[in-house]
Amino acid sequence: MTDTTDPVLDVRDYSLAYQVGKRRIEVLKEINFSIARGEVLGLVGESGSGKSSMASAIMRALAQNAVENAGAIRLGTTDLRAQTEAAMSSIRGRRISMVFQDPATSLNPTLRLGEQLAEVLVRHQGLSWSQAWTEGTARLAHVGLKTPAQMMERMPHEVSGGEKQRVVIATAFACNPELIIFDEPTTALDVITARQILDLFGELQAATGVASLYISHDLALLSQTADRVAVLEKGTIVEEGATAGLFRNPQHPYTRALIDAVPDPAHRLVQPLAQTEAQPLVKVREVSVNYGRRSLIDKVFGREGKGVVGNRAITLDIRPGEVLGIVGESGSGKSTLARAMTGLNRFEGLIEFDGRPVRGLADMDRDYRRDVQIIFQHPDASLNPRQRISEILGRPIRLYGGTDGGDGTSARARITQMLERVRLPASYIDRYPHQLSGGEKQRIAIARAFLSNPRLVICDEITSALDVSVQASVIELLMELQRQSGAAYIFITHDINLVRQIAHRIAVMYRGDLVEVAETATITDPARADYTRALLGAVTAPASTHLR
Amino acid sequence: QTTPERGGTLRVALDQAISVIHPLLTRVNPEYLATELLYSNLTRLTTKMEVEPDLATAWQSNDELTVWTFTLREGLKFHDGAPCTSEDVVATFEAILNPDVASSARNNVGPIEKIEAVDPVTLRFTLTEPYADLPAALAFNSARIIPASVARGDLNSLRSTANGTGPFKLVSYEPDRLMVVERNPDFYDPARPYLDRIELHVFPDLGAQTSSLLSGDIDLVATIGPNHYMRLDGQQGVNVLRAASGQFCNVNFGTDLPPFNDVRLRKALALTVDREAMVDFMTEGFGTKGNDTPINESYPFFAPVTQRERDIEAAKALLAEAGYPNGIEVELIASDRPALRSQLAVALKDMAKEAGITINVVTMPHATYLDQVWTKGSFYVGFYNMQPTPDAIFKLLFTSDAAWNETRWNNPKFDDLVKRARATTAVDERTKLYTEAQALMTEEVPSIIPAFFDVLGAKRDWVDGYEIHPRGSVYRLDFAWLTAASPTRKG
Amino acid sequence: MSASYILKRIALVFYTLFVVSVLVFGITQILPADAAVMMLGENATTEALDALRNQMGLNDPIWQQYLHWAGGVLQGDFGQSLRTGQPVGPALFSALGTSLTLAVFSLCFMLVIAVPIGVIAAVRRGKAADLVVGLISYIGVSLPEFVTATLAVALIADWWGILPPAGYIPLSEDFWGGLQRLVLPVLVVSVMMIAHVSRMVRSELVDVLHSDYIRAARLKGLRPRRVLLRHGLRNALLPTITIVALDVGYLLGGVIVVEEIFSIPGIGRALMTAIQARDLPVIQAGVMIMAATYSIVNFAADLMYAWLDKRIQYD
Amino acid sequence: MIDFLRRLLRTPQGLLGCLIVGLILIAVLAGRWLTPYGPEDMQSLARYKPPSLAHWLGTDQYGRDILSRLLEGARSTVLMALLATVIGTLGGAILGTGSAYLGGRADELIMRTVDAVMAIPSLLLALLVVSLLGSSSLNALLAIAIAFMPSMARIARAVALTVRKQEYVSAAIARGEGSGYIILREMLPNVIAPIVVEMTIRVSFAVMLFATLSFLGLGAQPPATDWGLMVSEARDFLHRSYWILLWPSAAIALTAIGFNLLGDGLRDALNPRT
Ligand SMILES: Nc1ncnc2c1ncn2[C@@H]1O[C@H](COP(=O)(O)OP(=O)(O)OP(=O)(O)O)[C@@H](O)[C@H]1O
Ligand SMILES: Nc1ncnc2c1ncn2[C@@H]1O[C@H](COP(=O)(O)OP(=O)(O)OP(=O)(O)O)[C@@H](O)[C@H]1O
Ligand SMILES: [Mg+2]
Ligand SMILES: [Mg+2]
């Protein structure tokens, strides 16, 4: 092997801008970094900071309107910027390869997995198709797939997300490249699968000694996978250094803010409940939800319909003022429960709210609806794009009347007041949703829920579409509102670190069943259910815990 | 002229489907052409509109013109080889006269009371009233002779099969695309027909028809309009054909209902018509002025009554007299086929405007027109082929007992004139009667007949022996032949 | 693709035919013309008409007439044409054959032209080639067939004199002559579809080319040809199958004008003639046959789509 | 609104489309007062005149001024097409949105029936309807409207279904809003935009369908100034006076292109991704 001090990738004084109309938007400014053989460089920064643009620049696959100002990108001794498209084409996949965020979209849905792997070998290694097929099968075995030969024959939709990502990784490693770029390769996967993929990455990285550029906005994750970390803020690398040092002693305020925004279970954001023995606010009793109905043909053939179980006999209490976290992998039925409780799904069973029994949609009267509010995941989709903020926030007031503040205040005044409470300028009242940022939209959605002075607020993954730092401020707002209003929360999330920070108790769901409900403090008990332990084990401990 | 050559296939273009080949039920020109090839009448019309023998070789009547005797050719054979005798003719006419058969010939073959077979080649017609024009009437397009077995048996079989005595035999028949016939070797005239085969191709689009003639795909276009005629005129290898005719488009009044039961109003409207311009608008000059009678120079007994000319002042005066000093608004209905009908309506609308007559033109599909307006309406556009004799056209349209009395005109004097003219063969007498009849029509104006059209057609120059017929519905293709210049085509 | 999906789809074909049959029967019942009058013509007597009406069952209650007619159709008996007096079935099926000949040639020609055009436009998006294709397709979808057909005849047949201007000869009768006569109509029919389909291919392909998996394929260093053809085009063409199948409706009935101008005795013209002549049995049967063809083609297209694109989960 | 117009005019299609459609609308609205001659005035001495200063686009077989007829015809042809499209779209949109809102068996039944009707080609359906009602411009209008309904219903339903799944609709339901408010205020404004795009493009179909019906003799009837009818009547004179055919054909094509362009422009302008 060559001298280890020679970097595999070297980026010098690199700048990039996008031409939009007459304006030129600078997205990367004077970037300098290098990656040595066997090294993992983590690139972190909030959304839009230019991480993916950097990756594209290295791959020489920039958007049409990209303008490169200056600087050099060198792979070994090759000046990538000087390569023709044809030359680049033979470098890609052979000397540099890339793993993308979502395996579901980065694989061609109509080609067999084997073909998508083997074609790289055919192209770059000069193998025949049959040789490539055999070699590909071996590669799949390498990435821990149990039945590689069958896997080769399957179509993408026939395998799970984790398996897909393994195939993508196998493809990236297929030609033993010098450099691999990972652009958030685990974000689209559920926690447990993500953990397995990370472990696989670690193994392969160690075994092959490839240089890696690992892009992520998850600082906790980088603290474990990267040797060194570069922090990107608005196109500028504000700080770079060995992982341990950087986390222990961040120099730049932006780095510090990023680290602080990472949820830390040890840092509780919620006060303990005053009296835990009070009557529950809500009693959920044996609530089941089934999706789908039997079709006519199923009836004719006397078959059971292919219904999907959303929830299976869920029983659960929520105390007044309590924050109940619900966690569980994707599809485990968390949203289904939330939708059933807000009258968006038919259900069987009983929900008792403050002593009033609710057995179905018909029982959900105006009072119930006022008392139980829901906030959704996607800020873009939960506000009607054709209504102004004034109309969006005016509705609850018109529907539920004056339950808030002095009765003399006009609706508009109350909206302005509410905007203040969610820390938005009063001038936003006449805007349309698309004129707001994601975080701001989510604040409007929160304001809408709190206008009716609810007693239970259901938050369905309300932060997962937001950036880390924005996420932190939204959580802070929620907690503050909770303190002020004393409302109880059902807080649905994937982020176990976050839920441990803010919940009194945590409910764990798995494939429609409620696995268990535990006090937050005791969630890490070894005596917990297997699934709960697997879930917790998959979570990357936040950087701060083991570095501070 | 050179002597005709035998052989070859002639391709003829038609602008309408041959919906029916049932020879007693044909109603439009392409169907007449099809049955003319396959069947024969007792008599037929020459291109000079004279009656000549077809199956019958000779005929004579008693002095009262009420009993007519016809002699058939000897040895006539149907296509299937069976002999054709007077018995077949008798059966045919019985079928034609049977109201259930609903033959359009029923009202057009004359006042036949009874027909008998005297011997295998002799027939006797007994009429209900004297009728001088019987031989011409028997040439009517849907009075073709069919076998007695069919006439008394399954008449419906004639819709898809044909067994006639005509110059050609049926080979294949697809109503909307193509009919093919081949020479009948047993035709009564051993010299004719000259052609081995005729294909009748249906071209619903007039432009396509003309283009196909130009490209040589088609040898003969049965009928074309003035514009296509002008396009073809002078083109290399193409001959245009033209015959003056008594074909016309008219505007019918319902003379039994207000407002058009007032002759002053009818006359006022007739006075607004610029007949010169009408000939231009409707025929591009390929026609002649009309004088509100159905008879023109092409007919015998035409009487040049004073030509009515446009006179807006007179029209206005008549209009005021009739009680419409401020003008009148009326609805004129035209069917959409052929386009000539609406052309007439549109032009009339413009001409009548000046006299204060506002005409709203309503064009409707032909089927609806036939169903709802024809013979029932009070102001609508008609369209007629030339008929063989003045009597035929009067009896078809204008006498009170006319088969299609579109105007419901009921004028005893006119009826009497026509009746008397039927009962004599004396030319002087008939001339006098028909002149009076025409003058009466011009005076009473049951219908405005502003212009007559020439019959137009076209052919490739390698088609010889074909002459266009003024009647518009007679073709005589058994006289046509192909010269050596014609392209050889596989049969 | 499960058996129950196929069953459901077949049931749908029958439901379609049922709805169409009721619809068309209803329409033809209220058409302003009496079938008996149409059949006997203007010379018929009242008695003859009455007799015929009774014989044709026109005096029965309407549902009985429907059942009678539907029963006949199920046994393949479509009744008799009022205009020609001949059985409707054979005439219409031969017309359908003619139309299908035209349709198949047009489809093939259209695909041969439209797909490459669409691909070129998508690949050179925003460049001159794209603009030219865009312009052509705008003009293509904006010219009614009677204009294109008139122009085609005037220019190609009359002026250059290189093709027969009209007429139809079954290919079985005279292959070469029949083929020559198909060229112009196929051209005219294809113009609009080429415009439509090439636009479709372009926009699908542009979408596909923007997808992550195409980017991934490029970044694997694959040759551009392979990326375009194997990864891109295949996925872009899948939705085209459905679109093309939907166009079969247009190909059968929407080309009435073309059949009219070029004197092609297809089912569209048969229907047009029937409508003009109020030939009710032909209208009924024609619409049924057309709807059946359309449903079957779309059924086949759905099956093909499902077979080609195994992602789709039908229930 | 201003912002939207700016977006629309920024796309080349939008700009061109607006220009063409604007011109045509001027002809529709003011055509009657712009005509130099009466559209039905015949001059037997000025028949078949090629374009000249006196008659910019020439005269036709009756000596009528073609420009005047085109301007007059804009009203009949374009207005009718617009009306037909609007009626067809409204009908289809109500059917489709209603079906999507009802859901379940009713939805299934409605949509399957709509699918079934779509098995009849729209030209044929229009022909049947016209022959049922009689041929006139007004009936052609109805026929086209009816022929458009099934496919419009399908589109409207698809859009309504996606809108219904949006979280803001869920939020409204969870809030306890009445279905009237949900359909009218939450769903409809979001359903309408894509339908307006589709509708604009359909105007061009309608213009052509209208012309085709007239061509087949089942639409407007002489002496109407309908463009399709003008083309149909002019075909006989193509070889003699090509301009009689040329101008109305061009008018039809231009209108169709204009609305097509405008529709595509609207789509781009409404698309949040561009
Ligand atoms: N083709 C382009 N034209 C104009 N602006 C662009 C283009 N591509 C990206 N941008 C802008 O450049 C900035 C950097 O984008 P980039 O995708 O590199 O961010 P990122 O750090 O990868 O974000 P994320 O974490 O959301 O993936 C963003 O503000 C983005 O809006
Ligand atoms: N409308 C629906 N029709 C049929 N099945 C559904 C429907 N909505 C959800 N499901 C199914 O019900 C199950 C539970 O879904 P749910 O949305 O409650 O999961 P979740 O825990 O919220 O997942 P995620 O974390 O991805 O939001 C899943 O298998 C899902 O596919
Ligand atoms: Mg990115
Ligand atoms: Mg969820």
Side-chain angles (χ1 to χ4, degrees), chain B residues 373-435:
Chain B
V373 179
W374 186 63
T375 71
K376 304 184 190 82
S378 70
F379 194 35
Y380 61 97
V381 180
F383 179 60
Y384 284 94
N385 275 335
M386 183 181 183
Q387 298 299 316
T389 58
D391 177 74
I393 189 80
F394 286 146
K395 272 290 194 187
L396 186 69
L397 299 174
F398 295 107
T399 59
S400 59
D401 62 346
W404 300 331
N405 188 349
E406 299 180 313
T407 58
R408 275 104 57 207
W409 191 44
N410 187 347
N411 189 310
K413 191 172 166 211
F414 181 78
D415 285 1
D416 185 56
L417 288 168
V418 173
K419 188 170 178 176
R420 275 161 55 205
R422 291 186 131 194
T424 173
T425 47
V427 175
D428 289 357
E429 172 76 1
R430 293 187 100 187
T431 307
K432 197 176 114 305
L433 290 168
Y434 280 135
T435 305

Side-chain angles (χ1 to χ4, degrees), chain A residues 344-363:
Chain A
L344 295 171
N345 275 343
R346 252 168 252 290
F347 63 89
E348 288 142 39
L350 169 72
I351 297 171
E352 213 177 282
F353 187 85
D354 202 11
R356 280 170 290 158
V358 174
R359 283 175 206 284
L361 300 188
D363 294 342

Side-chain angles (χ1 to χ4, degrees), chain C residues 61-314:
Chain C
I62 202 159
W63 61 270
Q64 252 178 33
Q65 290 187 43
Y66 175 77
L67 286 186
H68 181 79
W69 171 72
V73 168
L74 286 180
Q75 291 162 33
D77 171 18
F78 288 98
Q80 274 188 356
S81 162
L82 300 184
R83 178 173 62 100
T84 65
Q86 305 206 3
V88 171
L92 276 183
F93 280 113
S94 115
L96 179 67
T98 305
S99 284
L100 284 179
T101 312
L102 177 63
V104 168
F105 275 96
S106 304
L107 267 185
C108 295
F109 180 70
M110 179 274 286
L111 287 177
V112 165
I113 304 287
V115 172
I117 283 190
V119 171
I120 290 171
V123 172
R124 329 214 112 241
R125 198 160 81 101
K127 306 257 173 61
D130 184 22
L131 292 181
V132 170
V133 171
L135 200 69
I136 292 175
S137 71
Y138 272 118
I139 296 176
V141 291
S142 303
L143 283 175
E145 294 101 339
F146 58 87
V147 174
T148 23
T150 307
L151 289 181
V153 173
L155 287 181
I156 302 177
D158 292 351
W159 200 25
W160 297 339
I162 45 181
L163 284 167
Y168 172 81
I169 302 180
L171 294 179
S172 53
E173 246 170 56
D174 171 4
F175 187 80
W176 183 232
L179 208 60
Q180 278 185 321
R181 280 165 180 78
L182 273 175
V183 175
L184 285 182
V186 162
L187 220 60
V188 170
V189 171
S190 305
V191 166
M192 192 165 287
M193 287 206 305
I194 287 175
H196 178 202
V197 171
S198 65
R199 235 162 116 172
M200 170 87 197
V201 168
R202 177 191 177 273
S203 77
E204 286 293 332
L205 190 56
V206 164
D207 277 359
V208 168
L209 289 182
H210 273 118
S211 69
D212 286 351
Y213 60 83
I214 291 295
R215 189 176 149 82
R218 278 206 196 102
L219 294 188
K220 284 198 288 192
L222 300 181
R223 290 187 201 284
R225 241 168 60 108
R226 184 171 169 86
V227 174
L228 180 65
L229 298 182
R230 185 81 184 148
H231 288 260
L233 197 54
R234 195 184 148 96
N235 288 302
L237 285 185
L238 276 172
T240 316
I241 295 176
T242 318
I243 293 294
V244 168
L246 287 175
D247 273 350
V248 167
Y250 163 76
L251 274 175
L252 289 180
V255 296
I256 292 174
V257 172
V258 174
E259 294 186 345
E260 193 90 0
I261 291 182
F262 291 102
S263 308
I264 298 170
I267 193 157
R269 181 147 83 83
L271 268 162
M272 181 69 200
T273 316
I275 287 175
Q276 279 172 343
R278 300 282 186 274
D279 195 344
L280 306 187
V282 179
I283 300 180
Q284 289 162 347
V287 177
M288 285 304 289
I289 290 175
M290 211 172 249
T293 314
Y294 175 90
S295 305
I296 290 168
V297 168
N298 276 279
F299 175 43
D302 280 1
L303 289 191
M304 187 154 110
Y305 195 117
W307 179 67
L308 284 177
D309 191 346
K310 305 204 174 52
R311 267 176 305 173
I312 294 173
Q313 306 278 309
Y314 294 96

Side-chain angles (χ1 to χ4, degrees), chain D residues 102-160:
Chain D
L102 289 176
R105 291 265 142 81
D107 179 37
E108 183 98 343
L109 193 71
I110 295 175
M111 288 331 285
R112 292 302 153 246
T113 308
V114 161
D115 282 350
V117 177
M118 281 178 62
I120 308 178
S122 51
L123 177 61
L124 188 64
L125 194 60
L127 282 179
L128 281 175
V129 175
V130 174
S131 52
L132 191 68
L133 302 173
S135 32
S136 73
S137 301
L138 211 64
N139 291 340
L141 183 158
L142 270 182
I144 292 173
I146 291 173
F148 274 4
M149 274 182 206
S151 54
M152 245 15 252
R154 238 187 173 180
I155 293 168
R157 175 176 173 271
V159 177

Side-chain angles (χ1 to χ4, degrees), chain A residues 440-461:
Chain A
E440 287 169 338
K441 278 183 238 178
Q442 205 57 298
R443 280 164 201 264
I444 297 287
I446 292 171
R448 177 169 63 186
F450 274 90
L451 266 172
S452 67
N453 260 7
R455 295 162 70 191
L456 173 66
V457 178
I458 301 173
C459 306
D460 191 354
E461 307 199 22

Side-chain angles (χ1 to χ4, degrees), chain A residues 291 308 310 329-336 461 494:
Chain A
Y291 288 111
V308 178
E329 67 190 61
S330 193
S332 57
K334 308 183 293 293
S335 301
T336 302
E461 307 199 22
H494 277 130

